[in-house]
Amino acid sequence: MSEEHRRAVLLEAEEAVCSDRNADYGDPEDNFNDIAELWEAYKKVPFTRADVALMMTLVKIARARISPELKDHWVDLAGYAACGYGAAVADEG
């Protein structure tokens, strides 16, 4: 049963980060860049796109502590991990 759950979370995360959703919200890495710029302006410290992905996972972790049985938290964590990796690789290149 747990393999089925793992597959469901990964498939939903893939759909969220590799689908037409980008047409509505833009490329996730571009969005992370926009967020990083806003955070930098507000906090007066530098943020990378990878920082944004990591910080967003912390938001999801805080929410998951309250309701760990909600699949949405786990789907979002997997999605942020995938997009964060893409941002980190792009930032290094």
Side-chain angles (χ1 to χ4, degrees), residues 45-81:
V45 296
F47 286 93
T48 66
R49 296 181 295 178
D51 290 331
V52 171
L54 290 168
M55 297 292 276
M56 295 305 291
T57 64
L58 294 175
V59 170
K60 293 309 295 188
I61 289 168
R63 290 179 180 172
R65 286 185 64 215
I66 305 302
S67 51
E69 74 286 352
L70 290 180
K71 184 170 65 170
D72 181 63
H73 300 315
W74 303 102
V75 170
D76 287 350
L77 282 166
Y80 282 125

Side-chain angles (χ1 to χ4, degrees), residues 33-49 51:
N33 190 61
D34 293 342
I35 293 168
E37 288 176 359
L38 290 168
W39 287 358
E40 281 187 27
Y42 180 75
K43 293 296 291 179
K44 307 278 193 256
V45 296
F47 286 93
T48 66
R49 296 181 295 178
D51 290 331

Side-chain angles (χ1 to χ4, degrees), residues 6-25:
R6 291 190 301 264
R7 183 170 285 113
V9 165
L10 291 171
L11 289 172
E12 280 190 45
E14 180 184 26
E15 178 66 24
V17 301
C18 299
S19 70
D20 292 339
R21 186 174 188 184
N22 291 355
D24 293 331
Y25 300 107

